[in-house]
Short mmCIF file of all heavy atoms in Angstrom, two decimals:
data_model
loop_
_atom_site.label_atom_id
_atom_site.label_comp_id
_atom_site.label_asym_id
_atom_site.label_seq_id
_atom_site.Cartn_x
_atom_site.Cartn_y
_atom_site.Cartn_z
N CYS A 90 41.22 -103.55 -86.51
CA CYS A 90 40.17 -102.99 -87.38
C CYS A 90 39.71 -104.02 -88.41
O CYS A 90 38.51 -104.10 -88.71
CB CYS A 90 40.69 -101.74 -88.08
SG CYS A 90 40.99 -100.35 -86.98
N ARG A 91 40.65 -104.80 -88.93
CA ARG A 91 40.29 -105.83 -89.92
C ARG A 91 39.57 -107.00 -89.28
O ARG A 91 38.79 -107.69 -89.94
CB ARG A 91 41.56 -106.33 -90.62
CG ARG A 91 42.14 -105.40 -91.66
CD ARG A 91 41.30 -105.41 -92.94
NE ARG A 91 41.17 -106.75 -93.48
CZ ARG A 91 42.06 -107.32 -94.30
NH1 ARG A 91 43.13 -106.65 -94.66
NH2 ARG A 91 41.86 -108.53 -94.76
N GLY A 92 39.84 -107.24 -88.01
CA GLY A 92 39.23 -108.39 -87.33
C GLY A 92 39.77 -109.70 -87.84
O GLY A 92 39.09 -110.73 -87.82
N SER A 93 41.02 -109.69 -88.31
CA SER A 93 41.66 -110.90 -88.84
C SER A 93 42.23 -111.73 -87.70
O SER A 93 43.04 -111.25 -86.91
CB SER A 93 42.78 -110.50 -89.81
OG SER A 93 43.55 -111.62 -90.19
N THR A 94 41.79 -112.97 -87.61
CA THR A 94 42.21 -113.83 -86.49
C THR A 94 43.71 -114.13 -86.56
O THR A 94 44.39 -114.12 -85.53
CB THR A 94 41.43 -115.14 -86.49
OG1 THR A 94 41.54 -115.77 -87.77
CG2 THR A 94 39.95 -114.88 -86.21
N TRP A 95 44.24 -114.43 -87.77
CA TRP A 95 45.66 -114.78 -87.86
C TRP A 95 46.55 -113.57 -87.57
O TRP A 95 47.61 -113.71 -86.98
CB TRP A 95 45.97 -115.38 -89.23
CG TRP A 95 46.01 -114.40 -90.38
CD1 TRP A 95 44.99 -114.09 -91.22
CD2 TRP A 95 47.14 -113.62 -90.79
NE1 TRP A 95 45.39 -113.15 -92.13
CE2 TRP A 95 46.71 -112.85 -91.90
CE3 TRP A 95 48.45 -113.50 -90.35
CZ2 TRP A 95 47.56 -111.96 -92.57
CZ3 TRP A 95 49.30 -112.61 -91.01
CH2 TRP A 95 48.86 -111.85 -92.10
N MET A 96 46.08 -112.38 -87.96
CA MET A 96 46.85 -111.17 -87.67
C MET A 96 46.82 -110.86 -86.17
O MET A 96 47.82 -110.43 -85.59
CB MET A 96 46.29 -109.98 -88.46
CG MET A 96 46.53 -110.08 -89.96
SD MET A 96 45.80 -108.71 -90.89
CE MET A 96 46.91 -107.39 -90.43
N LEU A 97 45.69 -111.11 -85.53
CA LEU A 97 45.59 -110.88 -84.09
C LEU A 97 46.48 -111.87 -83.32
O LEU A 97 47.11 -111.49 -82.33
CB LEU A 97 44.13 -111.02 -83.64
CG LEU A 97 43.19 -109.87 -84.04
CD1 LEU A 97 41.74 -110.26 -83.79
CD2 LEU A 97 43.55 -108.61 -83.25
N LYS A 98 46.51 -113.11 -83.80
CA LYS A 98 47.39 -114.11 -83.15
C LYS A 98 48.86 -113.74 -83.33
O LYS A 98 49.66 -113.88 -82.40
CB LYS A 98 47.10 -115.50 -83.73
CG LYS A 98 45.75 -116.07 -83.32
CD LYS A 98 45.48 -117.40 -83.98
CE LYS A 98 44.11 -117.95 -83.58
NZ LYS A 98 43.79 -119.24 -84.26
N LEU A 99 49.20 -113.25 -84.53
CA LEU A 99 50.58 -112.81 -84.77
C LEU A 99 50.93 -111.62 -83.89
O LEU A 99 52.04 -111.53 -83.35
CB LEU A 99 50.75 -112.45 -86.26
CG LEU A 99 52.14 -111.95 -86.67
CD1 LEU A 99 53.21 -113.01 -86.37
CD2 LEU A 99 52.16 -111.57 -88.15
N TYR A 100 49.98 -110.71 -83.74
CA TYR A 100 50.16 -109.54 -82.87
C TYR A 100 50.43 -109.98 -81.43
O TYR A 100 51.34 -109.46 -80.76
CB TYR A 100 48.91 -108.66 -82.95
CG TYR A 100 48.96 -107.39 -82.14
CD1 TYR A 100 50.09 -106.57 -82.14
CD2 TYR A 100 47.86 -107.00 -81.37
CE1 TYR A 100 50.12 -105.39 -81.40
CE2 TYR A 100 47.88 -105.83 -80.64
CZ TYR A 100 49.01 -105.03 -80.65
OH TYR A 100 49.05 -103.87 -79.91
N ALA A 101 49.65 -110.97 -80.95
CA ALA A 101 49.83 -111.49 -79.59
C ALA A 101 51.19 -112.16 -79.45
O ALA A 101 51.87 -112.01 -78.41
CB ALA A 101 48.71 -112.48 -79.26
N MET A 102 51.63 -112.87 -80.47
CA MET A 102 52.93 -113.54 -80.43
C MET A 102 54.08 -112.52 -80.37
O MET A 102 55.03 -112.68 -79.61
CB MET A 102 53.10 -114.45 -81.65
CG MET A 102 52.24 -115.70 -81.63
SD MET A 102 52.38 -116.67 -83.17
CE MET A 102 54.14 -117.06 -83.13
N LEU A 103 53.96 -111.45 -81.16
CA LEU A 103 55.00 -110.42 -81.17
C LEU A 103 55.04 -109.67 -79.83
O LEU A 103 56.12 -109.33 -79.33
CB LEU A 103 54.75 -109.44 -82.32
CG LEU A 103 54.94 -110.02 -83.72
CD1 LEU A 103 54.50 -109.01 -84.78
CD2 LEU A 103 56.39 -110.43 -83.94
N LEU A 104 53.86 -109.43 -79.24
CA LEU A 104 53.81 -108.81 -77.92
C LEU A 104 54.47 -109.71 -76.88
O LEU A 104 55.17 -109.22 -75.97
CB LEU A 104 52.36 -108.51 -77.52
CG LEU A 104 51.69 -107.30 -78.17
CD1 LEU A 104 50.23 -107.23 -77.74
CD2 LEU A 104 52.41 -106.01 -77.81
N SER A 105 54.25 -111.02 -77.01
CA SER A 105 54.88 -111.98 -76.08
C SER A 105 56.39 -111.93 -76.21
O SER A 105 57.11 -112.00 -75.20
CB SER A 105 54.37 -113.39 -76.37
OG SER A 105 52.97 -113.47 -76.24
N LEU A 106 56.88 -111.81 -77.45
CA LEU A 106 58.32 -111.74 -77.68
C LEU A 106 58.92 -110.50 -77.03
O LEU A 106 59.96 -110.56 -76.36
CB LEU A 106 58.60 -111.74 -79.18
CG LEU A 106 60.07 -111.67 -79.60
CD1 LEU A 106 60.83 -112.90 -79.08
CD2 LEU A 106 60.20 -111.58 -81.12
N ILE A 107 58.25 -109.35 -77.20
CA ILE A 107 58.73 -108.11 -76.59
C ILE A 107 58.68 -108.21 -75.07
O ILE A 107 59.56 -107.71 -74.36
CB ILE A 107 57.91 -106.91 -77.09
CG1 ILE A 107 58.15 -106.70 -78.58
CG2 ILE A 107 58.25 -105.64 -76.31
CD1 ILE A 107 57.38 -105.55 -79.17
N PHE A 108 57.65 -108.86 -74.55
CA PHE A 108 57.50 -109.07 -73.11
C PHE A 108 58.72 -109.81 -72.56
O PHE A 108 59.30 -109.42 -71.54
CB PHE A 108 56.22 -109.85 -72.84
CG PHE A 108 56.10 -110.37 -71.43
CD1 PHE A 108 55.83 -109.51 -70.39
CD2 PHE A 108 56.26 -111.72 -71.16
CE1 PHE A 108 55.71 -109.99 -69.08
CE2 PHE A 108 56.14 -112.21 -69.86
CZ PHE A 108 55.87 -111.34 -68.83
N LEU A 109 59.14 -110.89 -73.25
CA LEU A 109 60.30 -111.66 -72.82
C LEU A 109 61.59 -110.85 -72.92
O LEU A 109 62.45 -110.91 -72.04
CB LEU A 109 60.43 -112.93 -73.67
CG LEU A 109 59.31 -113.98 -73.48
CD1 LEU A 109 59.48 -115.13 -74.47
CD2 LEU A 109 59.31 -114.51 -72.05
N ILE A 110 61.72 -110.05 -73.99
CA ILE A 110 62.91 -109.22 -74.17
C ILE A 110 63.02 -108.20 -73.05
O ILE A 110 64.11 -107.95 -72.51
CB ILE A 110 62.88 -108.53 -75.55
CG1 ILE A 110 63.05 -109.57 -76.66
CG2 ILE A 110 63.98 -107.47 -75.64
CD1 ILE A 110 62.88 -109.00 -78.05
N VAL A 111 61.90 -107.56 -72.67
CA VAL A 111 61.90 -106.57 -71.59
C VAL A 111 62.34 -107.22 -70.28
O VAL A 111 63.14 -106.66 -69.53
CB VAL A 111 60.50 -105.93 -71.44
CG1 VAL A 111 60.42 -105.10 -70.16
CG2 VAL A 111 60.20 -105.04 -72.63
N LEU A 112 61.80 -108.42 -70.00
CA LEU A 112 62.17 -109.11 -68.76
C LEU A 112 63.66 -109.47 -68.74
O LEU A 112 64.34 -109.26 -67.74
CB LEU A 112 61.33 -110.38 -68.61
CG LEU A 112 59.88 -110.21 -68.17
CD1 LEU A 112 59.21 -111.57 -67.99
CD2 LEU A 112 59.78 -109.43 -66.87
N VAL A 113 64.16 -109.99 -69.87
CA VAL A 113 65.58 -110.36 -69.95
C VAL A 113 66.47 -109.13 -69.77
O VAL A 113 67.47 -109.17 -69.05
CB VAL A 113 65.88 -111.06 -71.29
CG1 VAL A 113 67.39 -111.23 -71.48
CG2 VAL A 113 65.20 -112.41 -71.35
N ALA A 114 66.10 -108.03 -70.43
CA ALA A 114 66.87 -106.79 -70.32
C ALA A 114 66.90 -106.28 -68.89
O ALA A 114 67.95 -105.83 -68.40
CB ALA A 114 66.29 -105.72 -71.25
N ALA A 115 65.75 -106.36 -68.20
CA ALA A 115 65.69 -105.91 -66.81
C ALA A 115 66.57 -106.77 -65.91
O ALA A 115 67.28 -106.25 -65.04
CB ALA A 115 64.24 -105.92 -66.33
N VAL A 116 66.53 -108.08 -66.12
CA VAL A 116 67.33 -109.00 -65.30
C VAL A 116 68.82 -108.77 -65.56
O VAL A 116 69.63 -108.71 -64.62
CB VAL A 116 66.95 -110.46 -65.60
CG1 VAL A 116 67.93 -111.42 -64.94
CG2 VAL A 116 65.54 -110.75 -65.11
N VAL A 117 69.21 -108.63 -66.84
CA VAL A 117 70.62 -108.42 -67.19
C VAL A 117 71.13 -107.11 -66.59
O VAL A 117 72.23 -107.05 -66.03
CB VAL A 117 70.80 -108.40 -68.72
CG1 VAL A 117 72.19 -107.91 -69.10
CG2 VAL A 117 70.57 -109.80 -69.29
#
Side-chain angles (χ1 to χ4, degrees):
C90 292
R91 284 286 303 274
S93 171
T94 54
W95 74 266
M96 291 178 72
L97 287 168
K98 290 177 181 178
L99 179 59
Y100 182 45
M102 289 176 61
L103 292 174
L104 283 176
S105 301
L106 180 62
I107 294 180
F108 168 73
L109 293 175
I110 292 173
V111 169
L112 284 183
V113 170
V116 171
V117 169

